[in-house]
Amino acid sequence: MRVLPFILPCLLVLPVIAQKAKTPAKTALPAKEDKVDWDGEWTLSASQSDKVEERIDEHVKDLNFAMKLLWKKKLQGACREFNKLDILAGETFSVTMGKERSIDTPADGTESDWKRSDDKVFKATLTKDGPTMVQTITGDGYTLKYVYSMRKDGSSLALQVTYTHPKLDNPFSYKLVFKRND
């Protein structure tokens, strides 16, 4: 009977030892940042992109008549459609949307001034993190946030545009997809 008192505590401790014996979860190593080739001319893929005018109509549909007219006009003025995108990457990024003036900003988030083709002045910033680039345009009472996401194949990118205004209850957002010109 001397063996039984020795075995009983071992049987109770065995599940605890088995749990401790599991290999610890491996910590993720920081991913090596791949060089993303942003440079180039890009053309809108209309079939994969939102129709901006339809998205605006959908966004303002529940507003009263006067507010619907006001916000539709503001959104149409700020959220312009463009069929072409031109990006020149380096220490400073130059992004040209359609026939608009280029937005030239350092890639480190430093704020710079940008004058739109109608001579309205905005503040612009740009940051990049691997396959994602975020450009923010602020001024005239609203903020436009452009999130560029390079697809894995490098031949297309998605652009998520979000318009925010302190007096607009919900931000307005839409997506455009661009294909790299060869």
Side-chain angles (χ1 to χ4, degrees), residues 70-116:
L70 172 77
W71 284 110
K72 186 172 181 172
K73 183 177 179 182
K74 285 184 178 284
L75 290 171
Q76 287 171 332
C79 302
R80 301 175 177 188
E81 289 192 45
F82 49 95
N83 293 325
K84 192 175 83 172
L85 181 65
D86 190 16
I87 301 174
L88 182 59
E91 291 293 317
T92 298
F93 272 65
S94 178
V95 179
T96 306
M97 299 173 188
K99 296 180 181 178
E100 189 57 70
R101 291 178 180 160
S102 66
I103 305 169
D104 300 322
T105 50
D108 64 1
T110 303
E111 189 175 82
S112 61
D113 288 334
W114 172 60
K115 188 183 283 189
R116 200 166 62 185

Side-chain angles (χ1 to χ4, degrees), residues 45-58:
S45 175
S47 64
Q48 296 177 327
S49 301
D50 290 337
K51 307 281 185 260
V52 178
E53 192 64 34
E54 289 175 12
R55 297 278 301 139
I56 290 172
D57 288 339
E58 177 68 25

Side-chain angles (χ1 to χ4, degrees), residues 37-45 83-87 154-157 178-182:
D37 183 17
W38 294 102
D39 279 331
E41 292 180 0
W42 304 81
T43 302
L44 181 70
S45 175
N83 293 325
K84 192 175 83 172
L85 181 65
D86 190 16
I87 301 174
S155 65
S156 64
L157 65 86
F178 291 88
K179 301 283 185 189
R180 187 185 298 271
N181 295 351
D182 290 326

